[in-house]
Amino acid sequence: MRQSHMLIPTLKENPADAEIKSHQLLVRAGYIRQIASGIYSFLPIGRRVLNKVENIVREEMEKIGAHEMAMPALEPSELWKETGRWTTFGSELMRIHDRHNREFALGATHEEVITSLVRNEVKSYKQLPLTVFQIQNKFRDEARPRFGLLRGREFLMKDAYSFNESYESLDETYEKMFQAYSNIFRRCGLNFRAVIADSGAMGGKDTHEFMVLSEVGEDVIAYSDTSRYAANIEMAPVIATYEKPDVAVKPIEKVETPGKRSMQEVADHFGHELHEGIKAILFQVDEKFVLALTRGDHEVNDVKLKNLFDAGLVELANEEDTQRLLGAGFGSLGPINVPEEVEVVADLAVEAMVNITCGANENGFHYKNATPGEDFTVNQYADLRFIKEGDPSPDGQGTIQFARGIEVGHVFKLGEFYSERMNATFLNDQGKAKTMIMGSYGIGVSRTLAAIVEQYHDDRGITWPANIAPYQVHLLSMNPKKEDQKELADQLYENLLEAGIDVLYDDRKERAGVKFADSDLFGIPVRITVGKRASEGVVEVKERTTGEQVELDTNELVEYVKNWYKA
Ligand code: 9G3
């Protein structure tokens, strides 16, 4: 393609609203342009890289027997009312009315649409398992769109849905999807982890998020430094064990601690470390109250507390309930003199503590030398704390590190959440009507593209992995006014095209400096420059990522480029 005919508007400066590298570079290099907050156009070279990512996704989906289709972006509200999601999703779901004043959702996701199609067309177990996918723009009215393509309001998603006759069959489909996702993100050159995630609002059970490790990621993941283990911070179990210190149990003592409230203030007052104190936090768990104890240097994980009680609601008790139930305010709470109605649970680390400090449930007083089992009762011990860096990895291999991650994929076992509400049934091999078992599998395609730029750039621009770049070669003629240079560059352009190489030809009447700067921004892996030595039939070839360059005879060029891409 000749640049003189193309729309690739580059910018010298970062746009004011672009805070992260992928947003800055995709705009500066002429890949995208914003039309409104969180809503972007993909310009021609942007569309080409999006196609590269889409095609990797498409190939891996088809390899596991998922078939591509296209669903409408206009979703009748009736379908969302069948599953109750018309109301559960608030202003994030974009809604419109047609000329008859009927309500529609702009497609945010398509569980209802695909289930309404399948329930009409699939009747027998012989038609299962069935997996379909689409690659289509989704609409979600994010409260705070930001970071360019990382959190947009209209974005490209691959969403796949599976329909299975049993949970075993769903497990098989889920495993195939899991492998396909690993292939996709590996082929995109991404450093990613499959993260054990909480099923959240999707009502399924197993679920994994595929996270690209990046400083600009919104999520924090706990991952092993030697294995592939990774989990959402709130999901990661703690397998650390604790040694009870071999010391004599001292008699408990009530001490006045005026104005000492935080764990650190109390520890300093008694002259001990944080981990020699107990942190007591009162929670409301559904209708009851629970006092959760952790070691002073640990944090209560409210998701683990919620799962322990299989509760719908877990939140901090307010000051009033705290005062009423324990007779003191935050900062003076403890497990001694706790009313029957308050259940005391403690993290496993507390069980091994001896002679520790805790609140006296009296403002301005603490106990020292309190020992669980001696001076207070714990109703149950459980893994209740957030995992920390340095903890052993739950898979027993290596140590936990924290990293920020960009969620680029999410696979869910949905079970019967949608098929039951929408009556999607099939006749099994006994002729009995059974509810279909579903899975749903998403990839943020435009978000993945941005994540690639986050991992592949330098201070001059993007450095695309070879199979993602918009073109294979960037051909520059340094001075098109010089006849010999222009002729040679035109000739090379034809030769490369004939050899089936994707070439972007910068034939513009621009200064060399402008051409080099734009070329560095675009990030095309191989650059060929026709310059001073054109008359000798010699050109310069430079690799964008490494900066390595060679001078080549033009008749070696096609061979060189072919080999470079084969390597
Ligand atoms: C909505 C809105 C936002 C949403 C959803 C629905 C997230 C919603 C979860 C999913 C689950 C899977 C199929 C592809 C893979 C992910 N944000 N989710 O359902 F109406 Cl406004 O989208 N869907």
Side-chain angles (χ1 to χ4, degrees):
M1 204 59 74
R2 289 171 173 271
Q3 267 179 257
S4 54
H5 304 340
M6 283 181 76
L7 174 64
I8 319 181
T10 56
L11 303 173
K12 280 193 177 42
E13 301 302 322
N14 289 332
D17 65 335
E19 302 161 69
I20 62 171
K21 288 311 272 183
S22 57
H23 188 188
Q24 292 164 351
L25 292 174
L26 285 167
V27 172
R28 280 189 54 206
Y31 282 90
I32 62 172
R33 278 296 180 273
Q34 178 178 299
I35 187 169
S37 165
I39 303 173
Y40 290 87
S41 301
F42 281 84
L43 303 187
I45 56 172
R47 177 72 254 185
R48 287 179 73 95
V49 289
L50 204 58
N51 286 339
K52 296 284 179 81
V53 177
E54 267 191 46
N55 289 334
I56 289 172
V57 171
R58 197 166 268 124
E59 282 166 18
E60 293 298 333
M61 284 296 108
E62 284 165 0
K63 254 162 70 176
I64 60 168
H67 303 291
E68 184 165 12
M69 64 180 286
M71 290 175 241
L74 289 172
E75 302 189 36
S77 59
E78 292 78 1
L79 295 179
W80 285 66
K81 288 171 183 168
E82 284 189 50
T83 59
R85 296 211 300 172
W86 185 252
T87 44
T88 49
F89 281 94
S91 46
E92 193 184 345
L93 181 62
M94 300 188 90
R95 305 157 201 256
I96 59 168
H97 293 88
D98 68 6
R99 62 170 60 211
H100 309 294
N101 212 26
R102 286 193 209 103
E103 292 180 301
F104 289 79
L106 274 185
T109 182
H110 284 69
E111 283 81 1
E112 285 82 359
V113 170
I114 191 61
T115 306
S116 72
L117 174 76
V118 167
R119 72 177 169 192
N120 293 333
E121 308 303 337
V122 173
K123 295 293 169 213
S124 157
Y125 71 100
K126 293 175 187 152
Q127 296 169 278
L128 300 176
L130 169 70
T131 306
V132 290
F133 75 95
Q134 63 175 350
I135 302 180
Q136 176 207 63
N137 272 9
K138 292 285 188 284
F139 302 86
R140 294 179 182 177
D141 199 359
E142 295 284 348
R144 269 180 320 289
R146 62 184 199 146
F147 289 178
L149 300 181
L150 285 190
R151 181 165 288 280
R153 292 195 291 165
E154 178 176 358
F155 54 92
L156 191 60
M157 182 197 274
K158 181 284 298 178
D159 45 322
Y161 304 87
S162 70
F163 296 84
N164 301 77
E165 60 178 299
S166 67
Y167 281 94
E168 294 72 30
S169 170
L170 170 61
D171 289 349
E172 286 163 22
T173 301
Y174 189 89
E175 182 50 37
K176 285 181 189 165
M177 275 289 172
F178 194 98
Q179 283 315 313
Y181 275 47
S182 301
N183 296 345
I184 288 164
F185 297 121
R186 192 173 36 255
R187 289 177 62 187
C188 288
L190 287 168
N191 177 13
F192 71 93
R193 290 288 186 286
V195 174
I196 299 162
D198 188 15
S199 61
M202 284 305 289
K205 43 188 186 38
D206 281 346
T207 171
H208 285 82
E209 289 166 352
F210 284 76
M211 293 282 190
V212 168
L213 306 188
S214 161
E215 283 311 304
V216 301
E218 288 186 344
D219 303 276
V220 178
I221 65 169
Y223 70 99
S224 162
D225 57 0
T226 58
S227 74
R228 294 295 287 175
Y229 178 87
N232 264 358
I233 287 290
E234 61 269 6
M235 288 301 286
V238 172
I239 62 165
T241 51
Y242 310 93
E243 284 290 303
K244 201 190 238 340
D246 183 13
V247 294
V249 176
K250 293 179 187 162
I252 190 167
E253 207 183 315
K254 191 169 174 180
V255 176
E256 192 158 3
T257 51
K260 309 296 175 198
R261 297 164 59 85
S262 78
M263 293 307 296
Q264 194 58 57
E265 284 168 341
V266 173
D268 294 347
H269 182 81
F270 287 101
H272 62 58
E273 297 298 312
L274 259 190
H275 68 262
E276 292 168 287
I278 276 197
K279 187 183 292 180
I281 299 179
L282 187 64
F283 285 90
Q284 178 167 350
V285 178
D286 289 337
E287 283 70 47
K288 61 173 176 256
F289 287 93
V290 172
L291 187 66
L293 309 179
T294 59
R295 208 172 72 183
D297 57 328
H298 292 157
E299 298 299 326
V300 178
N301 180 336
D302 52 327
V303 171
K304 288 183 180 175
L305 195 62
K306 186 164 186 262
N307 293 338
L308 177 69
F309 288 97
D310 194 16
L313 167 98
V314 167
E315 59 186 20
L316 282 177
N318 59 36
E319 276 278 358
E320 186 195 336
D321 288 329
T322 305
Q323 192 63 44
R324 173 172 58 82
L325 289 162
L326 297 176
F330 304 142
S332 306
L333 304 183
I336 299 169
N337 307 325
V338 171
E340 274 300 301
E341 66 180 292
V342 174
E343 184 167 351
V344 180
V345 298
D347 177 65
L348 297 170
V350 171
E351 197 160 18
M353 296 176 81
V354 181
N355 301 332
I356 44 91
T357 309
C358 64
N361 287 331
E362 193 178 332
N363 289 331
F365 285 86
H366 281 73
Y367 283 109
K368 65 186 281 193
N369 300 332
T371 301
E374 303 283 331
D375 305 305
F376 60 90
T377 310
V378 171
N379 300 101
Q380 62 174 317
Y381 285 100
D383 167 13
L384 283 181
R385 71 175 174 86
F386 276 103
I387 202 164
K388 287 174 79 173
E389 288 199 293
D391 274 333
S393 173
D395 66 353
Q397 298 173 52
T399 310
I400 285 295
Q401 305 293 319
F402 284 359
R404 303 199 72 84
I406 301 169
E407 180 189 336
V408 288
H410 203 153
V411 289
F412 292 84
K413 287 181 185 170
L414 294 180
E416 298 158 65
F417 183 85
Y418 294 90
S419 40
E420 193 179 350
R421 287 162 178 74
M422 298 185 75
N423 194 25
T425 59
F426 66 98
L427 291 181
N428 70 5
D429 55 0
Q430 317 285 322
K432 247 170 86 41
K434 306 290 279 180
T435 302
M436 295 182 199
I437 311 295
M438 289 176 63
S440 77
Y441 317 88
I443 288 181
V445 176
S446 44
R447 180 181 277 183
T448 296
L449 189 150
I452 294 171
V453 178
E454 286 296 326
Q455 287 193 354
Y456 288 88
H457 67 266
D458 61 19
D459 53 7
R460 295 194 314 284
I462 299 170
T463 56
W464 293 113
N467 59 333
I468 306 290
Y471 292 90
Q472 293 173 302
V473 165
H474 195 198
L475 173 66
L476 276 60
S477 59
M478 277 304 85
N479 186 343
K481 292 196 190 74
K482 286 256 172 52
E483 210 34 51
D484 60 344
Q485 287 191 30
K486 183 182 177 332
E487 263 170 36
L488 179 60
D490 287 349
Q491 186 53 55
L492 290 181
Y493 179 54
E494 295 310 326
N495 297 355
L496 289 163
L497 285 181
E498 253 153 55
I501 293 167
D502 272 344
V503 195
L504 178 67
Y505 174 20
D506 191 348
D507 60 343
R508 297 174 297 168
K509 298 207 175 348
E510 291 282 354
R511 286 183 300 102
V514 167
K515 294 196 177 187
F516 282 129
D518 282 358
S519 183
D520 285 344
L521 270 178
F522 296 157
I524 294 167
V526 176
R527 176 167 79 206
I528 298 169
T529 306
V530 177
K532 296 185 291 298
R533 300 191 61 186
S535 54
E536 304 163 54
V538 172
V539 294
E540 182 195 273
V541 183
K542 184 172 184 179
E543 280 187 14
R544 173 65 185 84
T545 303
T546 61
E548 278 160 34
Q549 57 190 35
V550 291
E551 292 208 325
L552 277 186
D553 236 295
T554 47
N555 53 31
E556 300 167 85
L557 209 47
V558 168
E559 198 56 35
Y560 179 90
V561 172
K562 289 260 184 205
N563 290 339
W564 195 92
Y565 273 93
K566 237 202 301 291

